[in-house]
Tab-separated table of all heavy atoms in Angstrom:
chain	number	residue	atom	x	y	z
A	47	ALA	N	-12.634	10.594	-21.637
A	47	ALA	CA	-12.932	11.751	-20.681
A	47	ALA	C	-13.188	11.332	-19.342
A	47	ALA	O	-12.753	11.974	-18.354
A	47	ALA	CB	-14.137	12.587	-21.279
A	50	ASP	N	-10.287	6.077	-15.636
A	50	ASP	CA	-10.457	4.637	-15.350
A	50	ASP	C	-11.676	4.434	-14.620
A	50	ASP	O	-11.986	4.986	-13.501
A	50	ASP	CB	-9.219	4.347	-14.495
A	50	ASP	CG	-7.966	4.615	-15.123
A	50	ASP	OD1	-7.619	3.873	-16.063
A	50	ASP	OD2	-7.174	5.461	-14.714
A	51	VAL	N	-12.527	3.571	-15.190
A	51	VAL	CA	-13.832	3.234	-14.583
A	51	VAL	C	-13.614	2.161	-13.547
A	51	VAL	O	-12.938	1.155	-13.809
A	51	VAL	CB	-14.810	2.773	-15.743
A	51	VAL	CG1	-16.110	2.179	-15.163
A	51	VAL	CG2	-15.133	3.795	-16.721
A	52	VAL	N	-14.148	2.373	-12.369
A	52	VAL	CA	-13.985	1.493	-11.266
A	52	VAL	C	-15.319	0.825	-10.735
A	52	VAL	O	-15.287	-0.177	-10.051
A	52	VAL	CB	-13.438	2.097	-9.987
A	52	VAL	CG1	-11.976	2.606	-10.356
A	52	VAL	CG2	-14.213	3.354	-9.537
A	53	PHE	N	-16.409	1.321	-11.300
A	53	PHE	CA	-17.754	0.749	-10.870
A	53	PHE	C	-18.827	1.248	-11.832
A	53	PHE	O	-18.822	2.368	-12.260
A	53	PHE	CB	-18.065	1.172	-9.458
A	53	PHE	CG	-19.404	0.588	-9.016
A	53	PHE	CD1	-19.569	-0.692	-8.404
A	53	PHE	CD2	-20.516	1.376	-8.976
A	53	PHE	CE1	-20.733	-1.182	-8.046
A	53	PHE	CE2	-21.825	0.905	-8.524
A	53	PHE	CZ	-21.855	-0.430	-8.056
A	55	GLU	N	-23.043	1.178	-12.060
A	55	GLU	CA	-24.416	0.905	-11.406
A	55	GLU	C	-25.301	0.757	-12.581
A	55	GLU	O	-25.754	1.748	-13.279
A	55	GLU	CB	-24.785	2.124	-10.526
A	55	GLU	CG	-25.990	1.798	-9.744
A	55	GLU	CD	-26.434	2.880	-8.794
A	55	GLU	OE1	-25.544	3.424	-8.035
A	55	GLU	OE2	-27.660	3.285	-8.750
A	56	LEU	N	-25.772	-0.492	-12.819
A	56	LEU	CA	-26.568	-0.853	-13.846
A	56	LEU	C	-28.049	-0.734	-13.527
A	56	LEU	O	-28.387	-0.863	-12.339
A	56	LEU	CB	-26.282	-2.258	-14.393
A	56	LEU	CG	-24.851	-2.427	-14.968
A	56	LEU	CD1	-24.524	-3.866	-15.028
A	56	LEU	CD2	-24.735	-1.751	-16.368
A	68	GLU	N	-32.215	9.104	-16.160
A	68	GLU	CA	-30.978	8.555	-15.680
A	68	GLU	C	-31.182	6.989	-15.625
A	68	GLU	O	-31.977	6.524	-14.917
A	68	GLU	CB	-30.662	9.026	-14.271
A	68	GLU	CG	-29.264	8.610	-13.774
A	68	GLU	CD	-29.048	9.073	-12.369
A	68	GLU	OE1	-29.304	10.341	-12.085
A	68	GLU	OE2	-28.707	8.259	-11.500
A	71	VAL	N	-25.158	4.643	-13.745
A	71	VAL	CA	-24.088	5.638	-13.365
A	71	VAL	C	-22.672	4.927	-13.488
A	71	VAL	O	-22.501	3.665	-13.200
A	71	VAL	CB	-24.363	5.934	-11.796
A	71	VAL	CG1	-23.258	6.892	-11.354
A	71	VAL	CG2	-25.658	6.573	-11.643
A	73	GLU	N	-18.808	5.149	-12.328
A	73	GLU	CA	-17.864	5.796	-11.368
A	73	GLU	C	-16.562	5.633	-11.849
A	73	GLU	O	-16.088	4.517	-12.066
A	73	GLU	CB	-18.038	5.021	-9.999
A	73	GLU	CG	-19.468	5.171	-9.346
A	73	GLU	CD	-19.376	6.337	-8.304
A	73	GLU	OE1	-18.459	7.092	-8.218
A	73	GLU	OE2	-20.497	6.458	-7.574
A	74	SER	N	-15.823	6.688	-12.118
A	74	SER	CA	-14.362	6.568	-12.437
A	74	SER	C	-13.639	6.942	-11.318
A	74	SER	O	-14.158	7.277	-10.159
A	74	SER	CB	-14.180	7.564	-13.530
A	74	SER	OG	-14.064	8.874	-13.156
A	75	VAL	N	-12.218	6.888	-11.302
A	75	VAL	CA	-11.512	7.299	-10.167
A	75	VAL	C	-11.703	8.757	-9.880
A	75	VAL	O	-11.549	9.204	-8.707
A	75	VAL	CB	-9.928	7.060	-10.379
A	75	VAL	CG1	-9.457	5.659	-10.054
A	75	VAL	CG2	-9.434	7.465	-11.722
A	76	LYS	N	-12.134	9.531	-10.849
A	76	LYS	CA	-12.394	10.989	-10.713
A	76	LYS	C	-13.769	11.233	-10.074
A	76	LYS	O	-13.796	12.054	-9.111
A	76	LYS	CB	-12.336	11.713	-12.038
A	76	LYS	CG	-10.885	12.269	-12.332
A	76	LYS	CD	-11.131	12.950	-13.735
A	76	LYS	CE	-10.577	12.151	-14.888
A	76	LYS	NZ	-10.694	12.867	-16.198
A	77	ALA	N	-14.903	10.716	-10.681
A	77	ALA	CA	-16.096	11.204	-10.268
A	77	ALA	C	-17.249	10.220	-10.660
A	77	ALA	O	-16.936	9.280	-11.498
A	77	ALA	CB	-16.403	12.616	-10.905
A	78	ALA	N	-18.411	10.506	-10.336
A	78	ALA	CA	-19.707	9.811	-10.786
A	78	ALA	C	-20.319	10.461	-11.919
A	78	ALA	O	-20.423	11.707	-11.941
A	78	ALA	CB	-20.609	9.580	-9.674
A	80	GLU	N	-23.594	10.155	-14.792
A	80	GLU	CA	-24.872	9.632	-15.131
A	80	GLU	C	-24.988	9.230	-16.674
A	80	GLU	O	-24.380	9.941	-17.511
A	80	GLU	CB	-26.074	10.591	-14.948
A	80	GLU	CG	-26.364	10.814	-13.484
A	80	GLU	CD	-25.472	11.786	-12.787
A	80	GLU	OE1	-24.953	12.641	-13.501
A	80	GLU	OE2	-25.265	11.777	-11.433
A	97	ASN	N	-19.875	-5.857	-13.575
A	97	ASN	CA	-19.848	-5.989	-12.125
A	97	ASN	C	-18.424	-6.482	-11.703
A	97	ASN	O	-17.902	-6.045	-10.626
A	97	ASN	CB	-21.022	-6.865	-11.547
A	97	ASN	CG	-22.277	-6.238	-11.671
A	97	ASN	OD1	-22.485	-5.022	-11.827
A	97	ASN	ND2	-23.273	-7.120	-11.825
A	98	ASP	N	-17.896	-7.467	-12.421
A	98	ASP	CA	-16.646	-8.034	-12.034
A	98	ASP	C	-15.506	-7.250	-12.710
A	98	ASP	O	-14.399	-7.173	-12.090
A	98	ASP	CB	-16.583	-9.397	-12.563
A	98	ASP	CG	-17.572	-10.295	-11.860
A	98	ASP	OD1	-17.870	-10.141	-10.682
A	98	ASP	OD2	-18.156	-11.218	-12.498
A	100	PRO	N	-15.243	-3.637	-14.409
A	100	PRO	CA	-15.742	-2.371	-14.934
A	100	PRO	C	-14.807	-1.788	-15.900
A	100	PRO	O	-15.183	-0.897	-16.753
A	100	PRO	CB	-15.946	-1.539	-13.608
A	100	PRO	CG	-15.149	-2.207	-12.580
A	100	PRO	CD	-15.134	-3.626	-12.897
B	32	LYS	N	-3.720	17.615	-18.173
B	32	LYS	CA	-5.108	18.199	-18.210
B	32	LYS	C	-5.270	19.239	-17.164
B	32	LYS	O	-5.351	18.968	-15.953
B	32	LYS	CB	-6.142	17.129	-18.120
B	32	LYS	CG	-7.520	17.524	-18.376
B	32	LYS	CD	-8.422	16.346	-18.361
B	32	LYS	CE	-9.869	16.764	-18.303
B	32	LYS	NZ	-10.863	15.768	-17.872
B	43	VAL	N	-4.666	18.027	-13.320
B	43	VAL	CA	-5.453	17.056	-12.550
B	43	VAL	C	-4.851	15.664	-12.963
B	43	VAL	O	-5.001	14.735	-12.071
B	43	VAL	CB	-6.889	17.168	-12.675
B	43	VAL	CG1	-7.375	16.886	-14.244
B	43	VAL	CG2	-7.570	16.276	-11.729
B	44	GLN	N	-4.419	15.507	-14.134
B	44	GLN	CA	-3.800	14.239	-14.637
B	44	GLN	C	-2.984	14.433	-15.895
B	44	GLN	O	-3.078	15.474	-16.552
B	44	GLN	CB	-4.888	13.192	-14.874
B	44	GLN	CG	-5.742	13.557	-16.023
B	44	GLN	CD	-6.772	12.436	-16.442
B	44	GLN	OE1	-7.738	12.315	-15.801
B	44	GLN	NE2	-6.333	11.543	-17.331
B	47	LEU	N	-0.875	9.370	-18.625
B	47	LEU	CA	-0.965	8.104	-17.954
B	47	LEU	C	-2.402	7.846	-17.294
B	47	LEU	O	-2.848	6.701	-17.240
B	47	LEU	CB	0.191	8.137	-16.874
B	47	LEU	CG	0.959	6.766	-16.511
B	47	LEU	CD1	1.338	6.104	-17.683
B	47	LEU	CD2	1.984	7.160	-15.663
B	48	GLY	N	-2.955	8.867	-16.857
B	48	GLY	CA	-4.307	8.758	-16.083
B	48	GLY	C	-4.114	8.445	-14.616
B	48	GLY	O	-3.071	7.985	-14.138
B	49	ILE	N	-5.170	8.870	-13.909
B	49	ILE	CA	-5.082	8.873	-12.341
B	49	ILE	C	-4.712	7.478	-11.855
B	49	ILE	O	-3.798	7.379	-10.950
B	49	ILE	CB	-6.379	9.288	-11.752
B	49	ILE	CG1	-6.645	10.790	-12.137
B	49	ILE	CG2	-6.433	9.197	-10.315
B	49	ILE	CD1	-8.086	11.278	-11.733
B	50	MET	N	-5.387	6.460	-12.385
B	50	MET	CA	-5.039	5.068	-11.830
B	50	MET	C	-3.618	4.689	-11.902
B	50	MET	O	-2.958	4.304	-10.984
B	50	MET	CB	-5.891	4.148	-12.580
B	50	MET	CG	-5.873	2.675	-12.030
B	50	MET	SD	-7.077	2.355	-10.729
B	50	MET	CE	-8.505	1.918	-11.679
B	51	LYS	N	-3.073	4.837	-13.147
B	51	LYS	CA	-1.681	4.443	-13.332
B	51	LYS	C	-0.623	5.392	-12.706
B	51	LYS	O	0.367	5.014	-12.234
B	51	LYS	CB	-1.341	4.375	-14.886
B	51	LYS	CG	-2.009	3.193	-15.566
B	51	LYS	CD	-1.406	2.853	-16.894
B	51	LYS	CE	-2.014	1.821	-17.575
B	51	LYS	NZ	-3.178	2.145	-18.521
B	310	ARG	N	-17.790	-2.653	-4.405
B	310	ARG	CA	-16.884	-1.808	-5.259
B	310	ARG	C	-17.320	-0.401	-5.391
B	310	ARG	O	-16.579	0.382	-5.972
B	310	ARG	CB	-16.746	-2.548	-6.558
B	310	ARG	CG	-15.971	-3.837	-6.571
B	310	ARG	CD	-15.711	-4.328	-8.043
B	310	ARG	NE	-14.993	-3.469	-8.776
B	310	ARG	CZ	-13.643	-3.502	-8.849
B	310	ARG	NH1	-12.910	-4.371	-8.207
B	310	ARG	NH2	-13.016	-2.680	-9.717
B	311	GLN	N	-18.505	-0.090	-4.985
B	311	GLN	CA	-19.111	1.248	-5.304
B	311	GLN	C	-18.468	2.339	-4.386
B	311	GLN	O	-18.637	2.243	-3.135
B	311	GLN	CB	-20.573	1.153	-5.169
B	311	GLN	CG	-21.230	2.493	-5.463
B	311	GLN	CD	-22.754	2.336	-5.761
B	311	GLN	OE1	-23.285	1.235	-5.453
B	311	GLN	NE2	-23.445	3.415	-6.166
B	312	PRO	N	-17.845	3.363	-5.003
B	312	PRO	CA	-17.336	4.386	-4.184
B	312	PRO	C	-18.462	5.332	-3.631
B	312	PRO	O	-19.509	5.444	-4.164
B	312	PRO	CB	-16.485	5.205	-5.152
B	312	PRO	CG	-16.443	4.507	-6.406
B	312	PRO	CD	-17.610	3.524	-6.454
B	313	ALA	N	-18.098	5.878	-2.399
B	313	ALA	CA	-18.997	6.924	-1.782
B	313	ALA	C	-18.319	8.277	-1.796
B	313	ALA	O	-17.190	8.275	-1.148
B	313	ALA	CB	-19.443	6.434	-0.460
B	314	ARG	N	-18.768	9.237	-2.453
B	314	ARG	CA	-18.099	10.519	-2.607
B	314	ARG	C	-18.259	11.422	-1.400
B	314	ARG	O	-19.204	11.246	-0.599
B	314	ARG	CB	-18.519	11.169	-3.907
B	314	ARG	CG	-18.493	10.264	-5.085
B	314	ARG	CD	-17.134	10.112	-5.583
B	314	ARG	NE	-16.960	9.182	-6.752
B	314	ARG	CZ	-15.899	8.836	-7.338
B	314	ARG	NH1	-14.721	9.355	-7.151
B	314	ARG	NH2	-15.889	7.912	-8.426
B	334	GLY	N	-13.487	7.961	-2.307
B	334	GLY	CA	-13.223	7.548	-3.688
B	334	GLY	C	-12.741	6.158	-3.856
B	334	GLY	O	-12.980	5.349	-2.960
B	335	PHE	N	-12.032	5.846	-4.889
B	335	PHE	CA	-11.646	4.511	-5.132
B	335	PHE	C	-9.991	4.552	-4.789
B	335	PHE	O	-9.364	5.527	-5.325
B	335	PHE	CB	-11.738	4.106	-6.625
B	335	PHE	CG	-11.486	2.683	-6.860
B	335	PHE	CD1	-12.472	1.675	-6.589
B	335	PHE	CD2	-10.263	2.292	-7.372
B	335	PHE	CE1	-12.228	0.369	-6.970
B	335	PHE	CE2	-10.023	1.028	-7.657
B	335	PHE	CZ	-10.916	0.000	-7.416
B	337	PRO	N	-6.800	2.907	-5.674
B	337	PRO	CA	-6.252	2.045	-6.674
B	337	PRO	C	-5.210	0.943	-6.003
B	337	PRO	O	-5.330	-0.215	-6.423
B	337	PRO	CB	-5.400	2.942	-7.584
B	337	PRO	CG	-6.131	4.228	-7.481
B	337	PRO	CD	-6.567	4.354	-6.050
B	363	VAL	N	-26.171	6.264	-1.028
B	363	VAL	CA	-25.662	6.692	-2.349
B	363	VAL	C	-26.781	6.552	-3.389
B	363	VAL	O	-27.304	5.507	-3.608
B	363	VAL	CB	-24.507	5.756	-2.786
B	363	VAL	CG1	-23.981	6.261	-4.191
B	363	VAL	CG2	-23.336	5.946	-1.736
B	364	ARG	N	-27.259	7.627	-3.814
B	364	ARG	CA	-28.369	7.787	-4.839
B	364	ARG	C	-29.571	6.980	-4.543
B	364	ARG	O	-30.045	6.082	-5.214
B	364	ARG	CB	-27.798	7.324	-6.197
B	364	ARG	CG	-26.702	8.260	-6.843
B	364	ARG	CD	-26.304	7.876	-8.211
B	364	ARG	NE	-25.524	6.659	-8.235
B	364	ARG	CZ	-24.199	6.632	-8.031
B	364	ARG	NH1	-23.453	7.638	-7.848
B	364	ARG	NH2	-23.586	5.446	-8.128
B	366	LYS	N	-29.911	4.549	-2.484
B	366	LYS	CA	-29.673	3.242	-1.940
B	366	LYS	C	-28.786	3.264	-0.700
B	366	LYS	O	-27.989	4.083	-0.762
B	366	LYS	CB	-29.165	2.259	-3.017
B	366	LYS	CG	-30.142	2.009	-4.132
B	366	LYS	CD	-29.495	1.036	-5.163
B	366	LYS	CE	-30.326	1.081	-6.457
B	366	LYS	NZ	-29.629	0.727	-7.591
Side-chain angles (χ1 to χ4, degrees):
Chain A
D50 302 290
V51 173
V52 295
F53 181 81
E55 188 177 314
L56 295 165
E68 185 185 310
V71 178
E73 296 265 9
S74 74
V75 280
K76 267 185 256 178
E80 287 80 24
N97 293 333
D98 298 323
Chain B
K32 186 176 169 194
V43 67
Q44 66 175 81
L47 212 51
I49 295 173
M50 184 88 88
K51 290 199 180 92
R310 291 185 61 90
Q311 183 166 6
R314 309 280 175 181
F335 188 84
V363 180
R364 293 184 290 273
K366 289 179 194 159

